[in-house]
Each structure stands twice: as structure tokens, then as C-alpha cells.
């Protein structure tokens, strides 16, 4: 597949890469990535590196690419100019293409006039009938010309693997297209044909916006005497309301999702669920399952509706799957330790909260209630890492029996219930509340929640106590009593 280096990798590019990757892996093929950098005026610094970084982050690295190399390299189109020049020379020599000397000013006027007349802009093929003498004179006295491909022949019908049989008579609606610019760089039309041929590409999966252009590409293959690959055009990825997905929206770049703590498998799962290519849609599929279940014949022509509001729930599912794996859980512990250090830093008066056993216990207890690991360092979960600043007066406003509640809870923690479980604690706290005349169980819970977290709402009190551990619970209760 090809990707432009005129911007960082976004969700649309990831989806195209994903379908190419799973198709290649499903059939034992090679996933080739080449980067289109032929429009030197639009290059974005760092875009090439970002594309490969993000594909590796997503778990779908190419087998061959600018970074990884390979037998069909180079994989940057700006490094393949000689191949394009050779192909263009062949086309000119056989009469399938010709030099065009029209200035940018003239082409701009043609476009302006067409738009004024409410017609689609098209080149008027002015240079296609220049005599050899005229061409020689212009070559001697002017800048290097562009090369245009003659759209003379009837475009062949082809069977797209998604859209079925297609034929587009491009010559009736377009002028002869430029295939090689005056600066020696190709346009996409020539570059993709030359590269697919020399790289031995058997299947091209790309966006449906290239479906009409395929007619031109097939004519180029025909003119060069090369067999074309099979084409499968993927329906557009659009917003949930059906509107076009903008490549310029910064929140669609992959690095934003990575930085926000979303898991690669969750993104891949969401992208395949909103599209097609599988017997049924189901949440929670891993990349290996996507490869096993993928069926190109099941891709439909309908646009894929992307609903990013569903991503947190997809992420929750995949996070729980990682937590259930002991090896993966160890990696999550390391990541959460780093997040805690970053979020709280000097506020960590007790660095025992970074102990792997404690961090793992937090993850296990909270796994069903969070969507991202980052949620565990939000303000709502700050009590897990720092002791809250709670005054005795705050607890007194909830219940007059703060001392008695605290004394009984401290006594409970000194007894057999030191092997804390949520079920045991819930039962003991219920009995404790029943023994306090005139005090409702809900008030006891509010007092304990405020003492332990400094917050009026949050996880169940028993869970908080199990998570913090008996020693820390005692310390927090005593601290409030002494305030």
C-alpha cells in the first residue's frame, strides 16, 4: 500500500493499512509500505517517521518499508525517479504519451473558465498534436515539459473485488492526465503503476476514491505491456452522521489516541466493527482473530460509519483482556507506575504506593470500572496514591457519631477481618451500623468514604478498604481523628 507523507497517520490511513495487513497475513503474503513523497511542496517534517512509528504501535508493521528495507526497495518514491523516467520514455517512444509545454498560467485559465461555465475542469489536449518539429523547437527553447498520457483507447472493464464489474470512460470526461511533471517527479497515476509492477504487487487494497482512476491505471498497464494486479476498493470511512471524515482534524491522528492511553487492539477492533469483511460484528476481537475471520468477499460497498463515542467501551474490553493475562498485567503495572510518577511526582509522600503488589491490586480491583489505565490517575482516583486532606469537621457534618464509627472500624481492623475481602467487610460494616443506635448505614458509609478518599462519591467503601489495605485505612482514620 502507499501512504502520503503530507501529514501524520490518521484513522482513515490506519484502516486502509489494517485491511492490507490482515489480507496479506490471511493469505501468507507480504505487506509492503511505500511512501509517496513526490509532491515536494507538501511534505510535512516527521510524517514519514510518524507513519511507520504508528503502524508499529498499532501492531501492524509492514514487512517491507523505507525503515525496514526489502528486496523491492527503495520504498520512498522520491528515490525511484529513474524508474518513472524510464516508463515515461517508453510511453513517449511508443506514442502513448507526449510532452506538454502548457504553462501553469494557461492551465489555471482553463480551470477558471470551466468553473465559470459550471463545467468540470479538464485539459484541452492542446499539446497532443504538436509536430515533431514543434516539439523539438519547444524542447530547445523552454523549460522541461510535463509528460501527458493519451486517453485514446476505450478503458477496459475490470472486476473490482469489492464493487464488482466496472468501466469508466475517462477519456469522455477528462483531458489527458499528467504522468510525469516537469521537475521529473511522477504523479500518483504513473508512480503506482510502475511501483506495483516492479515490486511484484498482486493485490491492491485502497480507498474507493481511486475507483474511477483505476481505468487510467489499467490503460497505463496496457500501454506498458504489464499485467495489472487485482484491485479491491474499500468503501469510505465516514463520521457517525455520514459526513466526510476530515484528514485535517487533529483529533483523528493516531498519536493522539496513543497519547490518550487507548489500546491499539481497541482501535483496530472499532475500525473493523464499523466496516465489513467479517461474518458478523463482535466486540473484543484480537488482531489474530481479525486475521482468522477476515473474508474479502464480505466487504460491502456501504460507507463505514465511525462512532468514536464507542471507543472507550472497546478499550475497556481490551484492557480487561490484558489484565487477565499475568504477563500482560505485569506490563500494565509498569505503565501505571510511570503514570503515577508523572501525575503526582513530589506529592507522593509515601512511595510505597509504587510497590508492584499494590499497583497490581489497584488494577485488578478497578479493571471493570475504567476505560483506560490513565483513568487511575484522574482526580477521582487520587486517593489511591495520596492521602486526602480531610478535617474532622467534614465528617462531623455527616454524622455526630464520628468517634464511635472510627473506633469500631479500627477495632474491626484489629480483629480476624485483617484478611480483608469485600464480602467480609460488607457484612461486618453492616453489623457495625446496626449496632449504632440512630445512625443509618448510609451515613456510616459516607463517613468512611470521606475519611478514606476525601470525596463524597466513588467506589464501594469495602473495595476502597481492600485496595488501600488495613494499615493505610487505619492511618487515614487516625489522621482525621487527630485533625
Amino acid at each position: 500500500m502507499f501512504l502520503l507523507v503530507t501529514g501524520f497517520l490518521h484513522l482513515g490511513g490506519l484502516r486502509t493499512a489494517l485491511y492490507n495487513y490482515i489480507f496479506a497475513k490471511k493469505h501468507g503474503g507480504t505487506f509492503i509500505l511505500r511512501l509517496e513523497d513526490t509532491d515536494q511542496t507538501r511534505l510535512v517534517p516527521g510524517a514519514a517517521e510518524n507513519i511507520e512509528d504508528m503502524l508499529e504501535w498499532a501492531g501492524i508493521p509492514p514487512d517491507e518499508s523505507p525503515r525496514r528495507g526489502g528486496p523491492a526497495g527503495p520504498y520512498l518514491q522520491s528515490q525511484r525517479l529513474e524508474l518513472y523516467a524510464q516508463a515515461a520514455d517508453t510511453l513517449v517512444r511508443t506514442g502513448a504519451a507526449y510532452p506538454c509545454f502548457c504553462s501553469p498560467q494557461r492551465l489555471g485559465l482553463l480551470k477558471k473558465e470551466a468553473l465559470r461555465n459550471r463545467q468540470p475542469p479538464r485539459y484541452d489536449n492542446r499539446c497532443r498534436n504538436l509536430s515533431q518539429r514543434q516539439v523539438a523547437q519547444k524542447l530547445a527553447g523552454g523549460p522541461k515539459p510535463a509528460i501527458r498520457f493519451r486517453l485514446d483507447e476505450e478503458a477496459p472493464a475490470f472486476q473490482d473485488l469489492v464493487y464488482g464489474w466496472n468501466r469508466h470512460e475517462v477519456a469522455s470526461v477528462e483531458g489527458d492526465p499528467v504522468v510525469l511533471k516537469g521537475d521529473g517527479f511522477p504523479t500518483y497515476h504513473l508512480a503506482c503503476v510502475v511501483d506495483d509492477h516492479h515490486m511484484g504487487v498482486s493485490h491492491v487494497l485502497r480507498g474507493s476514491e481511486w475507483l474511477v482512476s483505476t481505468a487510467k491505471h489499467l490503460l497505463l498497464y496496457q500501454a506498458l505491456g504489464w499485467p495489472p494486479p487485482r484491485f479491491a476498493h474499500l468503501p469510505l470511512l465516514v463520521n457517525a452522521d455520514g459526513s466526510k471524515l476530515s484528514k485535517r482534524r487533529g483529533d483523528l491522528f493516531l498519536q493522539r489516541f496513543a497519547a490518550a492511553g487507548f489500546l491499539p487492539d481497541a482501535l483496530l477492533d472499532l475500525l473493523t466493527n464499523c466496516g465489513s469483511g467479517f461474518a458478523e460484528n463482535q466486540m473484543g476481537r484480537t488482531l489474530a482473530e481479525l486475521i482468522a475471520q477476515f473474508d474479502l468477499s464480505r466487504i460491502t460497498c456501504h460507507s463505514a460509519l465511525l462512532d468514536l463515542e464507542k471507543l472507550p467501551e472497546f478499550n475497556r474490553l481490551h484492557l480487561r483482556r490484558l489484565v487477565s493475562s499475568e504477563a500482560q498485567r505485569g506490563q500494565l503495572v509498569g505503565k501505571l507506575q510511570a503514570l503515577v510518577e508523572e501525575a503526582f511526582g513530589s506529592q507522593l509522600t509515601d512511595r510505597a504506593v509504587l510497590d508492584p503488589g499494590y499497583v497490581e491490586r489497584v488494577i485488578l480491583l478497578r479493571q471493570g470500572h475504567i476505560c483506560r489505565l490513565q483513568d487511575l490517575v484522574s482526580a477521582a482516583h487520587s486517593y489511591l496514591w495520596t492521602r486526602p486532606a480531610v478535617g474532622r469537621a467534614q465528617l462531623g457534618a455527616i454524622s455526630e457519631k464520628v468517634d464511635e464509627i472510627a473506633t469500631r472500624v479500627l477495632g474491626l481492623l484489629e480483629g480476624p477481618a485483617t484478611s480483608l475481602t469485600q464480602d467480609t467487610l460488607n457484612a461486618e460494616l453492616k453489623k457495625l451500623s446496626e449496632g449504632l443506635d440512630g445512625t443509618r448505614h448510609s451515613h456510616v458509609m459516607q463517613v468512611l468514604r470521606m475519611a478514606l478518599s476525601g470525596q463524597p462519591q466513588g467506589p464501594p467503601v469495602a473495595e476502597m478498604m481492600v485496595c488501600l489495605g488495613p494499615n493505610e485505612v487505619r492511618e487515614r482514620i487516625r489522621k482525621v481523628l487527630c485533625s
Side-chain angles (χ1 to χ4, degrees):
M1 69 166 291
F2 78 96
L3 285 171
L4 300 173
V5 290
T6 55
F8 291 176
L9 188 63
H10 55 83
L11 288 181
L14 175 65
R15 174 174 171 264
T16 303
L18 171 61
Y19 275 82
N20 275 274
Y21 180 90
I22 59 180
F23 179 79
K25 300 307 172 186
K26 176 86 174 182
H27 298 284
T30 301
F31 174 37
I32 299 174
L33 171 71
R34 62 175 181 258
L35 298 180
E36 183 182 334
D37 61 344
T38 55
D39 189 344
Q40 297 287 295
T41 63
R42 296 176 58 209
L43 296 185
V44 172
E49 294 78 10
N50 172 267
I51 289 170
E52 296 219 47
D53 287 345
M54 289 296 96
L55 288 179
E56 289 177 8
W57 170 82
I60 54 171
D63 298 302
E64 301 175 23
S65 70
R67 177 178 295 172
R68 291 173 176 257
Y75 297 89
L76 275 173
Q77 290 185 333
S78 60
Q79 298 173 4
R80 302 172 64 84
L81 299 185
E82 187 176 342
L83 287 172
Y84 309 132
Q86 290 172 0
D89 287 345
T90 298
L91 293 172
V92 171
R93 192 172 62 251
T94 59
Y98 59 90
C100 175
F101 301 92
C102 292
S103 66
Q105 292 77 15
R106 180 177 186 274
L107 296 175
L109 288 173
L110 281 176
K111 181 177 180 180
K112 193 173 182 180
E113 181 67 14
L115 293 175
R116 189 175 66 83
N117 294 324
R118 297 182 179 179
Q119 295 176 344
R122 59 182 294 179
Y123 178 56
D124 60 0
N125 298 346
R126 176 180 183 177
C127 292
R128 68 147 59 186
N129 296 316
L130 293 177
S131 67
Q132 288 186 352
R133 182 179 176 184
Q134 289 173 308
V135 169
Q137 288 175 340
K138 288 181 178 293
L139 285 173
K144 192 172 181 180
I147 303 298
R148 288 186 181 269
F149 179 61
R150 290 180 184 269
L151 293 179
D152 279 337
E153 296 192 36
E154 181 179 294
F158 69 98
Q159 187 174 23
D160 187 80
L161 295 174
V162 173
Y163 284 82
W165 282 101
N166 272 261
R167 174 182 276 127
H168 301 281
E169 296 298 344
V170 286
S172 63
V173 293
E174 296 183 31
D176 295 337
V178 171
V179 291
L180 194 71
K181 293 174 285 188
D183 60 6
F185 282 83
T187 62
Y188 172 71
H189 303 304
L190 181 65
C192 74
V193 169
V194 171
D195 289 344
D196 286 345
H197 171 72
H198 286 287
M199 291 181 176
V201 171
S202 62
H203 290 78
V204 175
L205 277 66
R206 60 188 180 187
S208 59
E209 66 268 27
W210 295 107
L211 185 61
V212 173
S213 293
T214 304
K216 284 180 278 195
H217 303 160
L218 290 172
L219 288 171
L220 279 165
Y221 278 109
Q222 193 170 285
L224 290 164
W226 297 339
R230 300 295 307 275
F231 292 96
H233 287 86
L234 305 173
L236 291 177
L237 183 67
V238 298
N239 293 314
D241 61 3
S243 61
K244 187 177 180 181
L245 205 65
S246 173
K247 297 178 183 178
R248 292 174 176 82
R249 275 179 53 190
D251 59 352
L252 294 180
F253 291 135
L254 244 63
Q255 60 187 21
R256 172 249 176 185
F257 295 97
F262 289 106
L263 297 168
D265 274 356
L267 266 179
L268 303 185
D269 194 11
L270 175 66
L271 288 172
T272 50
N273 260 272
C274 73
S276 51
F278 303 87
E280 59 182 354
N281 283 346
Q282 62 185 71
M283 294 175 66
R285 283 184 293 214
T286 63
L287 181 57
E289 290 168 335
L290 291 175
I291 293 169
Q293 297 175 25
F294 180 68
D295 183 351
L296 184 63
S297 67
R298 289 185 176 274
I299 296 181
T300 68
C301 304
H302 304 299
S303 295
L305 301 179
L306 177 65
D307 187 354
L308 284 174
E309 291 186 4
K310 295 179 179 178
L311 181 57
E313 188 56 36
F314 276 82
N315 211 69
R316 186 198 308 274
L317 281 175
H318 286 275
L319 182 58
R320 294 195 72 167
R321 179 176 55 78
L322 294 182
V323 173
S324 68
S325 162
E326 191 171 344
Q328 297 283 0
R329 191 162 66 244
Q331 294 181 27
L332 293 177
V333 167
K335 290 178 181 178
L336 183 52
Q337 287 172 318
L339 287 171
V340 173
E341 286 266 29
E342 182 183 349
F344 296 98
S346 59
Q347 299 176 52
L348 295 178
T349 54
D350 183 1
R351 297 188 67 81
V353 295
L354 295 175
D355 177 75
Y358 176 70
V359 175
E360 182 178 24
R361 186 162 76 238
V362 169
I363 291 173
L364 286 168
L365 287 169
R366 290 274 80 204
Q367 60 176 307
H369 306 279
I370 59 172
C371 296
R372 305 168 304 146
L373 211 55
Q374 273 87 336
D375 294 343
L376 290 174
V377 293
S378 65
H381 287 97
S382 60
Y383 72 91
L384 292 167
W385 319 109
T386 60
R387 289 177 180 169
V390 181
R392 185 190 185 91
Q394 289 175 264
L395 303 187
I398 301 171
S399 172
E400 298 176 352
K401 298 188 177 182
V402 170
D403 288 335
E404 193 171 354
I405 292 171
T407 300
R408 293 198 179 201
V409 172
L410 289 173
L412 173 64
L413 295 175
E414 297 295 341
T418 46
S419 55
L420 295 173
T421 68
Q422 289 190 63
D423 289 341
T424 301
L425 276 171
N426 278 324
E428 292 295 331
L429 291 172
K430 186 73 173 173
K431 280 195 274 183
L432 184 152
S433 300
E434 291 169 353
L436 293 169
D437 292 335
T439 302
R440 295 166 59 181
H441 179 63
S442 61
H443 289 166
V444 173
M445 294 297 100
Q446 288 174 34
V447 167
L448 288 175
R449 186 189 308 283
M450 183 62 70
L452 296 177
S453 71
Q455 299 172 10
Q457 296 177 328
V461 170
E463 182 193 311
M464 294 171 67
M465 294 176 72
V466 170
C467 197
L468 293 169
N471 291 336
E472 182 63 20
V473 170
R474 279 194 290 265
E475 285 299 315
R476 294 192 183 194
I477 291 176
R478 287 168 181 163
K479 180 185 174 186
V480 173
L481 290 178
C482 293
S483 63

